Amino acid sequence: MKKTLWIAIAGALAASVIAASAQEVLSANAVGYIKKTLPAGGKLTALSIPLNNMTEASNVFGRTSVAAEAPVNAVVYFWDPILQVWSGGAKSTKGWASGISNRVIASGEAFFLKGDPAGVSDIEVTITGEVPADATLSRSIPGSLALGTIANPYPVDFMFGQSSLASNASVNSVVYFWNSSLQVWSGGAKSSKGWASGIYSNVVLAAEGFFLKEASTVTSWTNTKPYTWP
């Protein structure tokens, strides 16, 4: 008989924590949730959805728990890696516009979400879904100094400098991390000696998005599943 494991991934969760729970899983897929905060005053948060939809083949934004729990007047922004522009819009009392609602969020894709600009309190939203069982997952990046949104396709934290994304990035590539508290970017370029220590040691949280400007012809990041289950 299948047994389902619910995993609470609240903000930060290391791969070792997930792996330690493997003994609880028999032959079933693991279902998890990740809680994220939309700061008061309509401040931006960089998100991703590293959990698979339970009933569909892809994560359609308007049918995600994040879209459902976002308050009226929340705004979502999707990055177009070809046109290098943002698209998106606000949630009305009737919900999200069809073009936004039907937008498919790719594995490893990041996007911006902000709550009601008039909101005086932080809003918590929950990413729910099935923990990916794929041995590897890939995220396309544009390359040639174009900006691309990146996120870990698996629901775990990782140190940027220890990732294959960081090691395979070409010299002069630039990474940008979003600070939700300060509402600013941080980051920097990869030199011939590698990444600066502060960039190398930066921990990217589960379901956190960031930007990478690949300087040359590297056009994808293939990540290996960091846990032994489901």
PDB file of all heavy atoms in Angstrom, residues 82-111:
ATOM      1  N   ILE A  82      13.718  35.914 -24.479  1.00  0.00           N
ATOM      2  CA  ILE A  82      13.995  36.273 -25.868  1.00  0.00           C
ATOM      3  C   ILE A  82      13.876  37.776 -26.077  1.00  0.00           C
ATOM      4  O   ILE A  82      14.779  38.432 -26.615  1.00  0.00           O
ATOM      5  CB  ILE A  82      13.031  35.523 -26.814  1.00  0.00           C
ATOM      6  CG1 ILE A  82      13.256  34.004 -26.698  1.00  0.00           C
ATOM      7  CG2 ILE A  82      13.241  35.984 -28.266  1.00  0.00           C
ATOM      8  CD1 ILE A  82      12.281  33.182 -27.499  1.00  0.00           C
ATOM      9  N   LEU A  83      12.752  38.348 -25.638  1.00  0.00           N
ATOM     10  CA  LEU A  83      12.544  39.789 -25.797  1.00  0.00           C
ATOM     11  C   LEU A  83      13.227  40.588 -24.713  1.00  0.00           C
ATOM     12  O   LEU A  83      13.371  41.812 -24.828  1.00  0.00           O
ATOM     13  CB  LEU A  83      11.047  40.098 -25.790  1.00  0.00           C
ATOM     14  CG  LEU A  83      10.211  39.458 -26.908  1.00  0.00           C
ATOM     15  CD1 LEU A  83       8.744  39.812 -26.740  1.00  0.00           C
ATOM     16  CD2 LEU A  83      10.717  39.890 -28.276  1.00  0.00           C
ATOM     17  N   GLN A  84      13.640  39.918 -23.625  1.00  0.00           N
ATOM     18  CA  GLN A  84      14.313  40.563 -22.494  1.00  0.00           C
ATOM     19  C   GLN A  84      13.428  41.655 -21.875  1.00  0.00           C
ATOM     20  O   GLN A  84      13.873  42.763 -21.579  1.00  0.00           O
ATOM     21  CB  GLN A  84      15.671  41.150 -22.925  1.00  0.00           C
ATOM     22  CG  GLN A  84      16.691  40.099 -23.341  1.00  0.00           C
ATOM     23  CD  GLN A  84      17.278  39.342 -22.153  1.00  0.00           C
ATOM     24  OE1 GLN A  84      18.112  39.891 -21.418  1.00  0.00           O
ATOM     25  NE2 GLN A  84      16.855  38.101 -21.978  1.00  0.00           N
ATOM     26  N   VAL A  85      12.169  41.295 -21.645  1.00  0.00           N
ATOM     27  CA  VAL A  85      11.214  42.217 -21.028  1.00  0.00           C
ATOM     28  C   VAL A  85      10.326  41.441 -20.061  1.00  0.00           C
ATOM     29  O   VAL A  85      10.228  40.207 -20.128  1.00  0.00           O
ATOM     30  CB  VAL A  85      10.324  42.923 -22.079  1.00  0.00           C
ATOM     31  CG1 VAL A  85      11.154  43.822 -22.979  1.00  0.00           C
ATOM     32  CG2 VAL A  85       9.545  41.896 -22.907  1.00  0.00           C
ATOM     33  N   TRP A  86       9.672  42.183 -19.171  1.00  0.00           N
ATOM     34  CA  TRP A  86       8.707  41.601 -18.246  1.00  0.00           C
ATOM     35  C   TRP A  86       7.306  41.619 -18.851  1.00  0.00           C
ATOM     36  O   TRP A  86       6.965  42.512 -19.621  1.00  0.00           O
ATOM     37  CB  TRP A  86       8.673  42.385 -16.930  1.00  0.00           C
ATOM     38  CG  TRP A  86       9.911  42.296 -16.101  1.00  0.00           C
ATOM     39  CD1 TRP A  86      10.886  43.255 -15.961  1.00  0.00           C
ATOM     40  CD2 TRP A  86      10.320  41.203 -15.272  1.00  0.00           C
ATOM     41  NE1 TRP A  86      11.860  42.820 -15.109  1.00  0.00           N
ATOM     42  CE2 TRP A  86      11.544  41.564 -14.663  1.00  0.00           C
ATOM     43  CE3 TRP A  86       9.761  39.957 -14.992  1.00  0.00           C
ATOM     44  CZ2 TRP A  86      12.228  40.722 -13.791  1.00  0.00           C
ATOM     45  CZ3 TRP A  86      10.436  39.106 -14.120  1.00  0.00           C
ATOM     46  CH2 TRP A  86      11.649  39.490 -13.537  1.00  0.00           C
ATOM     47  N   SER A  87       6.504  40.641 -18.457  1.00  0.00           N
ATOM     48  CA  SER A  87       5.077  40.661 -18.747  1.00  0.00           C
ATOM     49  C   SER A  87       4.360  40.216 -17.480  1.00  0.00           C
ATOM     50  O   SER A  87       4.986  39.718 -16.551  1.00  0.00           O
ATOM     51  CB  SER A  87       4.734  39.709 -19.906  1.00  0.00           C
ATOM     52  OG  SER A  87       5.010  38.356 -19.536  1.00  0.00           O
ATOM     53  N   GLY A  88       3.056  40.397 -17.449  1.00  0.00           N
ATOM     54  CA  GLY A  88       2.306  40.000 -16.266  1.00  0.00           C
ATOM     55  C   GLY A  88       1.147  40.927 -16.001  1.00  0.00           C
ATOM     56  O   GLY A  88       0.652  41.600 -16.916  1.00  0.00           O
ATOM     57  N   GLY A  89       0.717  40.986 -14.760  1.00  0.00           N
ATOM     58  CA  GLY A  89      -0.399  41.843 -14.416  1.00  0.00           C
ATOM     59  C   GLY A  89      -0.927  41.561 -13.028  1.00  0.00           C
ATOM     60  O   GLY A  89      -0.388  40.716 -12.299  1.00  0.00           O
ATOM     61  N   ALA A  90      -1.977  42.276 -12.671  1.00  0.00           N
ATOM     62  CA  ALA A  90      -2.517  42.233 -11.311  1.00  0.00           C
ATOM     63  C   ALA A  90      -3.696  41.276 -11.195  1.00  0.00           C
ATOM     64  O   ALA A  90      -4.372  40.960 -12.180  1.00  0.00           O
ATOM     65  CB  ALA A  90      -2.934  43.631 -10.877  1.00  0.00           C
ATOM     66  N   LYS A  91      -3.946  40.850  -9.983  1.00  0.00           N
ATOM     67  CA  LYS A  91      -5.095  40.007  -9.672  1.00  0.00           C
ATOM     68  C   LYS A  91      -6.260  40.908  -9.278  1.00  0.00           C
ATOM     69  O   LYS A  91      -6.142  41.734  -8.369  1.00  0.00           O
ATOM     70  CB  LYS A  91      -4.752  39.057  -8.521  1.00  0.00           C
ATOM     71  CG  LYS A  91      -5.863  38.081  -8.155  1.00  0.00           C
ATOM     72  CD  LYS A  91      -5.409  37.151  -7.034  1.00  0.00           C
ATOM     73  CE  LYS A  91      -6.467  36.099  -6.713  1.00  0.00           C
ATOM     74  NZ  LYS A  91      -6.026  35.160  -5.644  1.00  0.00           N
ATOM     75  N   SER A  92      -7.375  40.759  -9.966  1.00  0.00           N
ATOM     76  CA  SER A  92      -8.551  41.567  -9.663  1.00  0.00           C
ATOM     77  C   SER A  92      -9.487  40.779  -8.755  1.00  0.00           C
ATOM     78  O   SER A  92      -9.202  39.647  -8.358  1.00  0.00           O
ATOM     79  CB  SER A  92      -9.280  41.938 -10.957  1.00  0.00           C
ATOM     80  OG  SER A  92      -9.928  40.794 -11.499  1.00  0.00           O
ATOM     81  N   THR A  93     -10.625  41.362  -8.446  1.00  0.00           N
ATOM     82  CA  THR A  93     -11.629  40.662  -7.635  1.00  0.00           C
ATOM     83  C   THR A  93     -12.192  39.454  -8.376  1.00  0.00           C
ATOM     84  O   THR A  93     -12.781  38.568  -7.770  1.00  0.00           O
ATOM     85  CB  THR A  93     -12.774  41.610  -7.264  1.00  0.00           C
ATOM     86  OG1 THR A  93     -13.314  42.190  -8.460  1.00  0.00           O
ATOM     87  CG2 THR A  93     -12.286  42.718  -6.341  1.00  0.00           C
ATOM     88  N   LYS A  94     -11.989  39.410  -9.700  1.00  0.00           N
ATOM     89  CA  LYS A  94     -12.432  38.275 -10.507  1.00  0.00           C
ATOM     90  C   LYS A  94     -11.328  37.263 -10.751  1.00  0.00           C
ATOM     91  O   LYS A  94     -11.543  36.244 -11.408  1.00  0.00           O
ATOM     92  CB  LYS A  94     -12.981  38.780 -11.845  1.00  0.00           C
ATOM     93  CG  LYS A  94     -14.223  39.664 -11.716  1.00  0.00           C
ATOM     94  CD  LYS A  94     -14.720  40.107 -13.075  1.00  0.00           C
ATOM     95  CE  LYS A  94     -15.961  40.976 -12.951  1.00  0.00           C
ATOM     96  NZ  LYS A  94     -16.461  41.434 -14.280  1.00  0.00           N
ATOM     97  N   GLY A  95     -10.137  37.551 -10.228  1.00  0.00           N
ATOM     98  CA  GLY A  95      -9.018  36.641 -10.405  1.00  0.00           C
ATOM     99  C   GLY A  95      -7.979  37.186 -11.364  1.00  0.00           C
ATOM    100  O   GLY A  95      -7.911  38.386 -11.627  1.00  0.00           O
ATOM    101  N   TRP A  96      -7.176  36.287 -11.922  1.00  0.00           N
ATOM    102  CA  TRP A  96      -6.118  36.668 -12.855  1.00  0.00           C
ATOM    103  C   TRP A  96      -6.654  36.682 -14.282  1.00  0.00           C
ATOM    104  O   TRP A  96      -7.500  35.864 -14.642  1.00  0.00           O
ATOM    105  CB  TRP A  96      -4.961  35.682 -12.769  1.00  0.00           C
ATOM    106  CG  TRP A  96      -4.326  35.573 -11.416  1.00  0.00           C
ATOM    107  CD1 TRP A  96      -4.607  34.650 -10.448  1.00  0.00           C
ATOM    108  CD2 TRP A  96      -3.315  36.426 -10.868  1.00  0.00           C
ATOM    109  NE1 TRP A  96      -3.831  34.877  -9.331  1.00  0.00           N
ATOM    110  CE2 TRP A  96      -3.028  35.959  -9.555  1.00  0.00           C
ATOM    111  CE3 TRP A  96      -2.619  37.538 -11.352  1.00  0.00           C
ATOM    112  CZ2 TRP A  96      -2.073  36.556  -8.739  1.00  0.00           C
ATOM    113  CZ3 TRP A  96      -1.672  38.146 -10.530  1.00  0.00           C
ATOM    114  CH2 TRP A  96      -1.406  37.658  -9.251  1.00  0.00           C
ATOM    115  N   ALA A  97      -6.144  37.601 -15.103  1.00  0.00           N
ATOM    116  CA  ALA A  97      -6.505  37.622 -16.522  1.00  0.00           C
ATOM    117  C   ALA A  97      -6.094  36.298 -17.162  1.00  0.00           C
ATOM    118  O   ALA A  97      -5.151  35.639 -16.715  1.00  0.00           O
ATOM    119  CB  ALA A  97      -5.815  38.785 -17.223  1.00  0.00           C
ATOM    120  N   SER A  98      -6.763  35.894 -18.219  1.00  0.00           N
ATOM    121  CA  SER A  98      -6.555  34.575 -18.809  1.00  0.00           C
ATOM    122  C   SER A  98      -5.118  34.350 -19.267  1.00  0.00           C
ATOM    123  O   SER A  98      -4.568  33.257 -19.094  1.00  0.00           O
ATOM    124  CB  SER A  98      -7.518  34.364 -19.971  1.00  0.00           C
ATOM    125  OG  SER A  98      -7.307  35.340 -20.986  1.00  0.00           O
ATOM    126  N   GLY A  99      -4.515  35.362 -19.853  1.00  0.00           N
ATOM    127  CA  GLY A  99      -3.141  35.208 -20.321  1.00  0.00           C
ATOM    128  C   GLY A  99      -2.164  34.939 -19.202  1.00  0.00           C
ATOM    129  O   GLY A  99      -1.188  34.195 -19.362  1.00  0.00           O
ATOM    130  N   ILE A 100      -2.427  35.541 -18.045  1.00  0.00           N
ATOM    131  CA  ILE A 100      -1.591  35.309 -16.865  1.00  0.00           C
ATOM    132  C   ILE A 100      -1.943  33.976 -16.234  1.00  0.00           C
ATOM    133  O   ILE A 100      -1.065  33.183 -15.876  1.00  0.00           O
ATOM    134  CB  ILE A 100      -1.790  36.446 -15.841  1.00  0.00           C
ATOM    135  CG1 ILE A 100      -1.377  37.783 -16.451  1.00  0.00           C
ATOM    136  CG2 ILE A 100      -1.012  36.168 -14.556  1.00  0.00           C
ATOM    137  CD1 ILE A 100      -1.739  38.976 -15.607  1.00  0.00           C
ATOM    138  N   SER A 101      -3.226  33.727 -16.101  1.00  0.00           N
ATOM    139  CA  SER A 101      -3.687  32.511 -15.454  1.00  0.00           C
ATOM    140  C   SER A 101      -3.203  31.260 -16.177  1.00  0.00           C
ATOM    141  O   SER A 101      -2.877  30.251 -15.546  1.00  0.00           O
ATOM    142  CB  SER A 101      -5.219  32.506 -15.383  1.00  0.00           C
ATOM    143  OG  SER A 101      -5.696  31.359 -14.725  1.00  0.00           O
ATOM    144  N   ASN A 102      -3.124  31.322 -17.512  1.00  0.00           N
ATOM    145  CA  ASN A 102      -2.749  30.159 -18.310  1.00  0.00           C
ATOM    146  C   ASN A 102      -1.250  30.050 -18.567  1.00  0.00           C
ATOM    147  O   ASN A 102      -0.806  29.145 -19.288  1.00  0.00           O
ATOM    148  CB  ASN A 102      -3.484  30.175 -19.648  1.00  0.00           C
ATOM    149  CG  ASN A 102      -4.974  30.002 -19.480  1.00  0.00           C
ATOM    150  OD1 ASN A 102      -5.435  29.263 -18.615  1.00  0.00           O
ATOM    151  ND2 ASN A 102      -5.753  30.700 -20.302  1.00  0.00           N
ATOM    152  N   ARG A 103      -0.486  30.927 -17.967  1.00  0.00           N
ATOM    153  CA  ARG A 103       0.973  30.904 -18.155  1.00  0.00           C
ATOM    154  C   ARG A 103       1.576  29.683 -17.473  1.00  0.00           C
ATOM    155  O   ARG A 103       1.371  29.441 -16.295  1.00  0.00           O
ATOM    156  CB  ARG A 103       1.557  32.191 -17.563  1.00  0.00           C
ATOM    157  CG  ARG A 103       3.080  32.287 -17.545  1.00  0.00           C
ATOM    158  CD  ARG A 103       3.682  32.387 -18.932  1.00  0.00           C
ATOM    159  NE  ARG A 103       4.951  33.080 -18.959  1.00  0.00           N
ATOM    160  CZ  ARG A 103       6.109  32.596 -18.500  1.00  0.00           C
ATOM    161  NH1 ARG A 103       6.148  31.416 -17.928  1.00  0.00           N
ATOM    162  NH2 ARG A 103       7.216  33.306 -18.599  1.00  0.00           N
ATOM    163  N   VAL A 104       2.341  28.882 -18.237  1.00  0.00           N
ATOM    164  CA  VAL A 104       2.988  27.687 -17.695  1.00  0.00           C
ATOM    165  C   VAL A 104       4.337  28.082 -17.088  1.00  0.00           C
ATOM    166  O   VAL A 104       5.147  28.748 -17.744  1.00  0.00           O
ATOM    167  CB  VAL A 104       3.194  26.625 -18.791  1.00  0.00           C
ATOM    168  CG1 VAL A 104       4.002  25.434 -18.243  1.00  0.00           C
ATOM    169  CG2 VAL A 104       1.851  26.150 -19.316  1.00  0.00           C
ATOM    170  N   ILE A 105       4.541  27.688 -15.840  1.00  0.00           N
ATOM    171  CA  ILE A 105       5.807  27.943 -15.159  1.00  0.00           C
ATOM    172  C   ILE A 105       6.714  26.746 -15.411  1.00  0.00           C
ATOM    173  O   ILE A 105       6.416  25.618 -14.999  1.00  0.00           O
ATOM    174  CB  ILE A 105       5.616  28.134 -13.641  1.00  0.00           C
ATOM    175  CG1 ILE A 105       4.552  29.207 -13.364  1.00  0.00           C
ATOM    176  CG2 ILE A 105       6.941  28.486 -12.982  1.00  0.00           C
ATOM    177  CD1 ILE A 105       4.913  30.577 -13.864  1.00  0.00           C
ATOM    178  N   ALA A 106       7.827  26.973 -16.081  1.00  0.00           N
ATOM    179  CA  ALA A 106       8.739  25.882 -16.414  1.00  0.00           C
ATOM    180  C   ALA A 106       9.544  25.453 -15.195  1.00  0.00           C
ATOM    181  O   ALA A 106       9.714  26.209 -14.227  1.00  0.00           O
ATOM    182  CB  ALA A 106       9.679  26.320 -17.534  1.00  0.00           C
ATOM    183  N   SER A 107      10.054  24.240 -15.245  1.00  0.00           N
ATOM    184  CA  SER A 107      10.941  23.757 -14.190  1.00  0.00           C
ATOM    185  C   SER A 107      12.183  24.635 -14.139  1.00  0.00           C
ATOM    186  O   SER A 107      12.818  24.905 -15.165  1.00  0.00           O
ATOM    187  CB  SER A 107      11.339  22.307 -14.493  1.00  0.00           C
ATOM    188  OG  SER A 107      12.272  21.832 -13.560  1.00  0.00           O
ATOM    189  N   GLY A 108      12.519  25.115 -12.950  1.00  0.00           N
ATOM    190  CA  GLY A 108      13.699  25.965 -12.801  1.00  0.00           C
ATOM    191  C   GLY A 108      13.509  27.404 -13.234  1.00  0.00           C
ATOM    192  O   GLY A 108      14.475  28.167 -13.322  1.00  0.00           O
ATOM    193  N   GLU A 109      12.260  27.797 -13.507  1.00  0.00           N
ATOM    194  CA  GLU A 109      11.976  29.178 -13.906  1.00  0.00           C
ATOM    195  C   GLU A 109      11.625  30.011 -12.682  1.00  0.00           C
ATOM    196  O   GLU A 109      10.905  29.566 -11.792  1.00  0.00           O
ATOM    197  CB  GLU A 109      10.805  29.228 -14.886  1.00  0.00           C
ATOM    198  CG  GLU A 109      10.411  30.638 -15.306  1.00  0.00           C
ATOM    199  CD  GLU A 109       9.191  30.693 -16.216  1.00  0.00           C
ATOM    200  OE1 GLU A 109       8.631  29.614 -16.512  1.00  0.00           O
ATOM    201  OE2 GLU A 109       8.801  31.798 -16.626  1.00  0.00           O
ATOM    202  N   ALA A 110      12.113  31.234 -12.643  1.00  0.00           N
ATOM    203  CA  ALA A 110      11.796  32.162 -11.558  1.00  0.00           C
ATOM    204  C   ALA A 110      10.867  33.254 -12.074  1.00  0.00           C
ATOM    205  O   ALA A 110      10.841  33.567 -13.268  1.00  0.00           O
ATOM    206  CB  ALA A 110      13.065  32.782 -10.996  1.00  0.00           C
ATOM    207  N   PHE A 111      10.113  33.844 -11.156  1.00  0.00           N
ATOM    208  CA  PHE A 111       9.240  34.962 -11.494  1.00  0.00           C
ATOM    209  C   PHE A 111       9.110  35.845 -10.255  1.00  0.00           C
ATOM    210  O   PHE A 111       9.477  35.447  -9.150  1.00  0.00           O
ATOM    211  CB  PHE A 111       7.870  34.478 -11.975  1.00  0.00           C
ATOM    212  CG  PHE A 111       7.127  33.616 -10.990  1.00  0.00           C
ATOM    213  CD1 PHE A 111       6.174  34.154 -10.138  1.00  0.00           C
ATOM    214  CD2 PHE A 111       7.373  32.247 -10.909  1.00  0.00           C
ATOM    215  CE1 PHE A 111       5.477  33.357  -9.224  1.00  0.00           C
ATOM    216  CE2 PHE A 111       6.680  31.442 -10.007  1.00  0.00           C
ATOM    217  CZ  PHE A 111       5.740  31.998  -9.159  1.00  0.00           C
TER     218      PHE A 111
END
